[in-house]
Amino acid sequence: MNNESTKAKVAQLKSAVSAADLTPGQEAWRALQIMSEFVYATEKLRPVQPAVSIFGSARIQADNPWYGRTVAIARLLSDSGFSVISGGGPGIMEAANVGAFAGKSLSIGLNIQLPHEQHGNPFQDMGISFKYFFNRKLAFVRTSAALICMPGGFGTLDELTEALTLIQTGKARRIPIILVGQEFWGGLHDWMRDTLLRDKLISPGDIELMQILEEPQEIVDVIFDAYERMGIAPTKEERQQILEI
């Protein structure tokens, strides 16, 4: 491609980008929508703590064993005094809300508006619908005293790795991160240890930010043990971390 042709292509790209740009007024309105959504979610979720978030696939059906195990975990957490937060949709998210809804504490769904797949489930004491993914993800991390990852796809991996990154970099307080199911998560965990750690792309302590567990009671016990050691309420430094996420 000659120089003149390259310049013409660049000019076409710039023209296309300019045509797609929002006007200053539209950008300002979008910023206000983002702020409004964030403030609403923060105030709405303030009284639900302590809470545990459960992530997992929207595609897992009710006859799948993972669905039943998620119901059991959420019910036990709810009866133990933890509000349970899910993505508010079907699959594992629904299972988490089903278990919590039958328990003693709040069942909460943080739904996301998507063009496909996601719809709210009816097993929620409180539901918040998000337009912006980053506000929703921030709500999970800011509100949760622990994160539980059931089997899932890209969305679940996204939530897991974002939480690990925030804790690793000191932008979020350290909380228990529990992967449920050695059969499902063992390969990923081994790869992180045998490749990322081996090549010094992560530190030895980073692997210890998460653990693989199996049984509902074991999971609840680990969460309680963690907070017996460090306390359920954030320290002054941890509150500052939460504000700066």
Side-chain angles (χ1 to χ4, degrees):
M1 185 179 293
N2 62 41
N3 192 43
E4 291 302 318
S5 177
T6 300
K7 288 181 178 179
K9 290 287 186 182
V10 170
Q12 287 178 350
L13 287 172
K14 286 183 177 179
S15 176
V17 170
S18 296
D21 279 349
L22 297 176
T23 67
Q26 288 172 318
E27 287 282 16
W29 177 242
R30 189 167 74 111
L32 288 172
Q33 286 180 311
I34 292 167
M35 291 170 59
S36 175
E37 185 176 80
F38 170 78
V39 170
Y40 175 79
T42 299
E43 293 305 311
K44 190 89 169 170
L45 291 170
R46 190 181 300 278
V48 309
Q49 299 177 13
V52 174
S53 288
I54 298 179
F55 303 127
S57 175
R59 306 182 186 193
I60 287 178
Q61 302 299 311
D63 58 356
N64 188 300
W66 289 116
Y67 187 103
R69 191 180 301 192
T70 305
V71 171
I73 292 168
R75 175 63 187 270
L76 195 54
L77 284 167
S78 181
D79 286 341
S80 299
F82 289 96
S83 299
V84 174
I85 304 174
S86 86
I92 291 294
M93 296 177 280
E94 179 182 279
N97 289 132
V98 166
F101 198 69
K104 297 177 181 178
S105 303
L106 289 175
S107 173
I108 301 161
L110 305 185
N111 204 37
I112 184 70
Q113 299 169 23
L114 294 176
H116 61 86
E117 190 175 270
Q118 185 91 346
H119 58 271
N121 70 69
F123 305 99
Q124 301 173 35
D125 298 304
M126 178 192 300
I128 303 175
S129 180
F130 288 85
K131 180 178 181 179
Y132 298 100
F133 246 121
F134 47 85
N135 275 339
R136 178 177 180 252
K137 291 162 76 172
L138 186 59
F140 277 122
V141 176
R142 286 172 61 96
T143 308
S144 299
L147 302 176
I148 296 174
C149 292
M150 305 300 294
F154 289 154
T156 304
L157 292 172
D158 178 45
E159 299 289 0
L160 169 62
T161 53
E162 181 163 58
L164 289 171
T165 302
L166 288 170
I167 295 171
Q168 177 205 48
T169 55
K171 295 299 290 182
R173 69 185 299 220
R174 181 165 182 174
I175 60 175
I177 297 178
I178 298 166
L179 314 180
V180 182
Q182 174 66 34
E183 180 182 358
F184 185 85
W185 292 107
L188 176 64
H189 191 272
D190 290 347
W191 174 77
M192 289 181 175
R193 183 193 63 225
D194 298 339
T195 302
L196 299 183
L197 185 57
R198 180 199 66 200
D199 294 345
K200 298 186 167 108
L201 301 176
I202 61 174
S203 302
D206 294 337
I207 287 290
E208 298 174 6
L209 294 176
M210 57 190 160
Q211 56 188 307
I212 300 176
L213 300 174
E214 300 289 343
E215 299 303 322
Q217 187 61 59
E218 178 185 28
I219 291 165
V220 175
D221 289 345
V222 163
I223 294 172
F224 269 108
D225 288 346
Y227 285 104
E228 283 179 2
R229 294 193 307 272
M230 62 185 188
I232 194 73
T235 63
K236 181 179 179 180
E237 292 76 15
E238 287 172 340
R239 285 197 295 272
Q240 189 63 33
Q241 283 179 316
I242 293 170
L243 289 173
E244 295 177 357
I245 290 177

